[in-house]
């Protein structure tokens, strides 16, 4: 059993396809999606369909929530808002209802998944500091929790105190607690444009971060031909 765990696809079909191909080549047997399937990029319906076809655990992200409502209810950036309006125009009611019905957090085998934080998942806060991580850890009842939302690969470890760890390959010790963000498939923001996800193998007790090159120019062209803001295309190749 080997899980491919990914977040923040954001309608980037080129990146999602590349990640799924890489996961298959790496021997992944199961998939887990940490939310924000839609928003920002040009292929919302295709990404929803591809992820539904995986028949895997999925939690709801803030873009999934907002794109499946009639109007935006959260204060989002103008760029996010423009892409959400565009996305709403593409999603039919059946796909929107599926996104609306996603749960905020789930237990998968022996780990928890959530898009934003475990302390207040519906408020869409960000886990970027040790303080944020501590608040989420106090609601974490499994050794591992995978989250998304920041678009930056991150690991926090709690073993007495809470600290951040570098994330390439980490061994999992049963006596400790981990909060793990596999980065973003469709819009990385850590100055690396390559799609990001992680592999978790419970038998080997290790988690490996993967970075996957994809056809970023095709994704950018699709953004421009869709009439989405040019900034959304530019940021993809900068990874921010
Ligand atoms: Zn996101």
């Amino acid at each position: 059993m080997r899980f491919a765990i990914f977040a923040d696809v954001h309608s980037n079909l080129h990146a999602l396809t590349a990640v799924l191909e890489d996961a298959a080549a790496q021997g992944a047997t199961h998939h887990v999606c940490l939310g924000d399937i839609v928003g920002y990029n040009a292929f919302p319906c295709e990404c929803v369909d591809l992820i539904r076809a995986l028949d895997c655990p999925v939690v709801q992200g803030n873009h999934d929530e907002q794109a499946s409502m009639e109007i935006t209810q959260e204060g989002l950036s103008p760029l996010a808002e423009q892409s959400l309006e565009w996305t709403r125009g593409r999603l039919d009611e059946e796909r929107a209802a599926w996104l609306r019905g996603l749960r905020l957090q789930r237990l998968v085998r022996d780990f928890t998944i959530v898009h934003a934080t475990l302390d207040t998942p519906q408020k869409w806060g960000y886990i970027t500091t040790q303080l944020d991580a501590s608040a989420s850890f106090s609601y974490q009842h499994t050794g591992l929790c995978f989250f998304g939302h920041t678009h930056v690969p991150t690991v926090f470890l709690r073993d007495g105190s809470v600290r951040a760890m570098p994330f390439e390959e980490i061994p999992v010790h049963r006596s400790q607690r981990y909060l793990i963000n596999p980065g973003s498939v469709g819009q990385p923001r850590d100055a690396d444009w390559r799609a990001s996800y992680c592999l978790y193998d419970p038998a080997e007790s290790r988690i490996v971060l993967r970075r996957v090159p994809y056809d970023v120019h095709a994704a950018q062209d699709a953004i421009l031909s869709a009439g989405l803001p040019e900034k959304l295309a530019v940021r993809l190749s900068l990874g921010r």
Side-chain angles (χ1 to χ4, degrees):
M1 181 176 264
R2 183 171 290 176
F3 291 94
I5 302 173
F6 58 90
D8 297 282
V9 169
H10 283 300
S11 303
N12 187 335
L13 183 64
H14 296 88
L16 176 60
T17 307
V19 160
L20 294 178
E21 282 173 9
D22 186 77
Q26 293 295 316
T29 54
H30 294 68
H31 300 87
V32 174
C33 174
L34 307 175
D36 271 7
I37 296 169
V38 301
Y40 294 130
N41 291 288
F43 299 97
C45 295
E46 292 82 351
C47 289
V48 166
D49 293 350
L50 194 47
I51 289 167
R52 286 177 81 175
L54 294 173
D55 195 21
C56 67
V58 182
V59 283
Q60 187 183 60
N62 53 319
H63 283 252
D64 304 324
E65 178 199 54
Q66 298 294 320
S68 61
M69 292 174 159
E70 275 179 36
I71 48 158
T72 303
Q73 296 182 342
E74 193 199 0
L76 287 163
S77 71
L79 262 190
E81 180 49 37
Q82 278 180 55
S83 79
L84 276 173
E85 261 176 47
W86 181 91
T87 301
R88 272 188 212 108
R90 298 298 177 292
L91 288 175
D92 54 280
E93 178 47 30
E94 202 273 328
R95 289 186 179 95
W98 181 77
L99 288 170
R100 230 175 2 250
L102 291 171
R103 281 185 267 162
L104 289 172
Q105 69 180 73
R106 290 185 64 164
L107 184 68
V108 181
R109 202 175 173 271
D110 60 347
F111 58 89
T112 311
I113 60 173
V114 68
H115 183 66
T117 74
L118 285 179
D119 44 318
T120 49
Q122 74 286 359
K123 288 194 175 165
W124 311 119
Y126 292 88
I127 301 177
T128 54
T129 66
Q130 280 148 290
L131 200 64
D132 305 327
S134 298
S136 193
F137 269 128
S138 44
Y139 289 81
Q140 183 176 327
H141 307 296
T142 52
L144 296 170
C145 173
F146 294 89
F147 71 104
H149 200 35
T150 66
H151 298 212
V152 176
T154 314
V155 178
F156 288 99
L157 169 68
R158 189 175 82 173
D159 58 350
S161 62
V162 172
R163 59 192 163 93
M165 281 173 71
F167 190 177
E168 277 182 22
E169 178 169 341
I170 50 167
V172 176
H173 301 291
R174 292 285 152 197
S175 57
Q176 292 166 343
R177 295 232 158 138
Y178 301 83
L179 248 177
I180 297 151
N181 188 323
S184 167
V185 172
Q187 195 194 75
R189 295 180 191 160
D190 60 339
D192 181 343
W193 63 273
R194 296 172 301 166
S196 187
Y197 79 103
C198 75
L199 292 165
Y200 167 47
D201 195 317
E204 292 177 9
S205 293
R206 66 181 188 132
I207 298 164
V208 180
L209 184 70
R210 301 280 305 165
R211 297 307 291 245
V212 186
Y214 71 97
D215 191 347
V216 69
H217 299 299
Q220 291 174 312
D221 288 346
I223 287 172
L224 299 176
S225 12
L228 282 159
E230 190 186 356
K231 268 188 177 174
L232 292 174
V234 173
R235 72 189 296 177
L236 277 191
S237 48
L238 303 173
R240 63 181 171 83

